[in-house]
Amino acid sequence: MTLAVGQEDLLLDRAVQEVVAAARAADADTDVRDLTPDQLQPGTLAELTSPSLFAERKVVVVRNAQDLSADTVKDVKSYLGAPAEEITLVLVHAGGAKGKGLLDAARKVGAREVACPKMTKPADRLAFVRAEFRAVGRSATPEACQALVDAIGSDLRELASAVSQLVADVEGTIDEAVVGRYYTGRAEASSFTVADRAVEGRAAEALEALRWSLATGVAPVMITSALAQGVRAIGKLSSARGGRPADLARELGMPPWKIDRVRQQMRGWTPDGVAVALQAVAEADAGVKGGGDDPEYALEKAVVAIARAARSRGRA
């Protein structure tokens, strides 16, 4: 029995695919039944898992197990207590409070659990991209991995697909220039491009990138997150002790290449400017999360305020 828990669809699908692949490696004729809650009515599981005269192997996948009816949950719990040897059961569960009884029951009988958490942090997606390259034995520079995340955004399926395309098309180490050639249009529309141009004081370019991002479907909350990260990085580095990028990277929790980038961006910033910019980000964040009538205007206002703050030393 396998329990795939989380809300990241790509990871959930991969967990299922790995079980199916292992079963078919042992028996190429393994029958796979992939079922949603509406397809798994009371009694269906008992029928699927009943002994066969031919002892055929099966993989039974139950999607969205947290949404099963109470009667079907009873069926699944009953099966968990007396599983069939030739059946591999995969429960795909979102986690959380809903359907927790079934989750606990599967854990109690020792089901193998695969964590598939939603990757909401840019650092998690960056680690995912690095792992994708490592999994196929390919080398990609830190800058290339970051550029790919900046260009593609939060969709893991698209990130995985982009890695596959680069690996198939490019020989040798994959660097930032290669990513730029493949995904330059996407990169221009990314939330991090908006943030980079804003903290560099380039208001017109930041606003252009912002409008293009919104037009191509980038979520406003992703843009405020990128703006916050950009301003905080400026604040952290400006208040840090001097030193080599590697030393500062350990102290601040940033990769060394980012230290160099932020050093270039922080020219013109003052402590007061950082404070003003952080307040602008906070107001924009509230605006895009329901505190204002026009999320786009809230973002434009924040971008202009950050760009002005970036030039505060020059004006002083």
Side-chain angles (χ1 to χ4, degrees), residues 237-261:
L237 192 55
S238 62
S239 61
R241 299 186 303 274
R244 297 178 305 166
D247 296 330
L248 288 170
R250 285 192 293 271
E251 180 184 343
L252 303 178
M254 298 180 191
W257 64 265
K258 189 170 183 179
I259 297 291
D260 292 334
R261 177 185 291 181

Side-chain angles (χ1 to χ4, degrees), residues 77-96:
K77 286 182 177 180
S78 176
Y79 175 79
L80 292 176
E85 185 175 348
E86 70 276 10
I87 303 295
T88 300
L89 178 65
V90 184
L91 296 177
V92 180
H93 196 293

Side-chain angles (χ1 to χ4, degrees), residues 183-220:
Y183 298 103
T184 182
R186 298 289 295 273
E188 290 171 359
S190 78
S191 55
F192 290 99
T193 300
V194 178
D196 284 342
R197 299 297 85 79
V199 300
E200 290 162 5
R202 296 153 66 178
E205 293 177 41
L207 287 171
E208 182 181 0
L210 171 64
R211 289 161 188 156
W212 184 246
S213 295
L214 294 171
T216 54
V218 177

